[in-house]
Amino acid sequence: MSRAEPVRPTSPPLIALVHRANKALQANMVAQAHRQGHPEIKQSHNAVFGTLHGEGQRAVDMAASMGITRQSMGEIVREMVQLDILEMVPDPADRRAKLVTFSAHGLEVAAAGFRHIGALERRFAEEFGAADYETARRVLVRVAEMLEADDAEPHDQAVTPGQTESRRSSPG
Amino acid sequence: MSRAEPVRPTSPPLIALVHRANKALQANMVAQAHRQGHPEIKQSHNAVFGTLHGEGQRAVDMAASMGITRQSMGEIVREMVQLDILEMVPDPADRRAKLVTFSAHGLEVAAAGFRHIGALERRFAEEFGAADYETARRVLVRVAEMLEADDAEPHDQAVTPGQTESRRSSPG
DNA sequence: ATATATTGAAAGGTACCCTTACGAATGTCA
DNA sequence: TGACATTCGTAAGGGTACCTTTCAATATAT
């Protein structure tokens, strides 16, 4: 009876589903950009497309909004400047800072990307029904929020009463 | 009218939600293993925990089932053998192959991980209701399937009629 | 004025996964 | 039975997407 199989969940765990969907979505976005005549687009560029808008932002703010370091965002931005997707101009209000904006070409790339995203979202809403699709979106957001909160204060989360999973915080 | 802002989706695109949830889930799994006394566990080990079961499997099959190359899976397996989580024995039926199994210690690590996953899944089902949680899971699976199919035959997917997104396949 | 904080940038490291290549064992078919 | 291609694990090297550490320039607080 030693060497018994660990209790494996019967259905694939959420992490597997999310991981696979994430991989597929990332690959799809990059592939679409390539097909539309922008073969220089990489996955990391999504960190910019996902946050840049309006009259120009500083790399440090873009980084914060995407949850990566400002150094990483800075590197991505510099690469995209080389590719004529972004432009950087000195911030008149702060001579340390530079404002990042789309170039004319970058605007086209972004517009194509957003059009693709819009089409995808419509396809999904059609496939699942608007209500179910919205439910899935809500679950994803909430799951991330819950786990990020766990991370911030790592007590004994994910434990329902009666289920023993590493009792640590009993007697203080 | 040039330099107009590209049409940005009003709500965060699905890819952003999935990406964030994936990041949070991966981090949570690794952090939990560390908290439970297994600080050697890395994110990449999930590729093994996600597929290994029963009397032993070959690395090539594990790789296929997780969607990575056999070389990558082989490297992960070898590392986990060093860590006394896995064992490799020659396959009696095929002398090229080796069968991967959990070691005694690895069984404990896996069991703890599965317990954590079980607790997580229960927590989610409770938070969202079983029906909504199941809906979300179904959407994730189907999204991955749809996009993987697109990838396999990259015509003009994700385009609803009337929406222009790179017409390519009109008149041959 | 001077200490401290913030910005972009440079340099180097790490994690994860890939491609290419190869030897050993196997299947296949003339 | 003997070529031949295929499949197994493995080795070696590369690429991508981040990270940490550090720095100079600039800004802000005291």
Side-chain angles (χ1 to χ4, degrees), chain A residues 118-129:
Chain A
L120 269 187
E121 303 272 336
R122 258 174 274 120
R123 187 147 79 111
F124 293 147
E126 198 172 300
E127 172 87 9
F128 307 117

Side-chain angles (χ1 to χ4, degrees), chain B residues 4-53:
Chain B
E5 192 73 353
V7 183
R8 173 175 291 274
T10 55
S11 54
L14 184 67
I15 188 173
L17 311 185
V18 171
H19 182 261
R20 186 175 162 205
N22 182 57
K23 203 171 160 183
L25 281 162
Q26 298 283 349
N28 181 264
M29 285 302 297
V30 175
Q32 180 67 16
H34 291 188
R35 269 183 243 130
Q36 299 203 332
H38 306 296
E40 74 278 17
I41 297 298
K42 300 197 306 181
Q43 181 180 327
S44 59
H45 298 171
N46 283 329
V48 166
F49 292 122
T51 189
L52 182 57
H53 61 92

Side-chain angles (χ1 to χ4, degrees), chain A residues 2-9 11-15 17-29 31-32 35-36 43 46 48-55 66-68 87 101-104 106-108 110-124 126-128 131-133 135-148 150-151 154-160 163-166 168, chain B residues 2-9 11-15 17-29 31-32 35-36 43 46 48-55 66-68 87 101-104 106-108 110-124 126-128 131-133 135-148 150-151 154-160 163-166 168:
Chain A
S2 63
R3 283 308 179 93
E5 192 72 355
V7 184
R8 173 173 291 273
S11 54
L14 184 67
I15 187 173
L17 311 184
V18 170
H19 182 262
R20 187 175 161 204
N22 183 56
K23 202 171 161 183
L25 280 162
Q26 297 283 349
N28 181 264
M29 285 301 298
Q32 180 66 14
R35 271 184 242 127
Q36 299 203 333
Q43 180 180 329
N46 283 329
V48 166
F49 292 123
T51 188
L52 182 56
H53 60 92
E55 285 306 299
M66 295 304 284
I68 65 176
E87 288 169 359
T101 58
F102 283 115
S103 69
L107 280 177
E108 289 176 28
F114 292 149
R115 248 180 280 128
H116 178 62
I117 284 181
L120 269 187
E121 303 272 336
R122 258 174 274 120
R123 187 147 79 111
F124 293 147
E126 198 172 300
E127 172 87 9
F128 307 117
D132 280 8
Y133 184 51
T135 293
R137 294 174 52 93
R138 184 170 46 81
V139 166
L140 285 169
V141 169
R142 188 79 189 101
V143 162
E145 284 174 359
M146 289 167 72
L147 296 180
E148 283 162 9
D150 286 14
D151 223 32
H155 292 311
D156 256 305
Q157 273 84 8
V159 179
T160 48
Q163 186 72 12
T164 318
E165 188 195 14
S166 144
R168 290 160 67 247
Chain B
S2 65
R3 283 308 180 93
E5 192 73 353
V7 183
R8 173 175 291 274
S11 54
L14 184 67
I15 188 173
L17 311 185
V18 171
H19 182 261
R20 186 175 162 205
N22 182 57
K23 203 171 160 183
L25 281 162
Q26 298 283 349
N28 181 264
M29 285 302 297
Q32 180 67 16
R35 269 183 243 130
Q36 299 203 332
Q43 181 180 327
N46 283 329
V48 166
F49 292 122
T51 189
L52 182 57
H53 61 92
E55 286 306 299
M66 296 304 285
I68 64 177
E87 288 169 359
T101 57
F102 282 115
S103 69
L107 281 177
E108 290 177 28
F114 291 150
R115 248 181 281 128
H116 177 62
I117 285 182
L120 268 187
E121 302 274 333
R122 259 174 274 119
R123 186 147 80 110
F124 293 147
E126 198 173 302
E127 171 86 11
F128 308 116
D132 279 7
Y133 184 50
T135 293
R137 293 173 53 92
R138 186 170 43 82
V139 166
L140 284 169
V141 170
R142 190 76 190 103
V143 162
E145 284 175 358
M146 287 167 72
L147 295 179
E148 284 162 8
D150 286 14
D151 223 31
H155 290 311
D156 255 305
Q157 273 83 9
V159 179
T160 48
Q163 188 69 12
T164 316
E165 188 195 12
S166 147
R168 289 160 66 248

Side-chain angles (χ1 to χ4, degrees), chain B residues 47 51 58-74:
Chain B
T51 189
R58 292 177 303 177
V60 65
D61 296 328
M62 297 166 63
S65 102
M66 296 304 285
I68 64 177
T69 62
R70 74 180 188 285
Q71 291 89 336
S72 294
M73 181 61 82

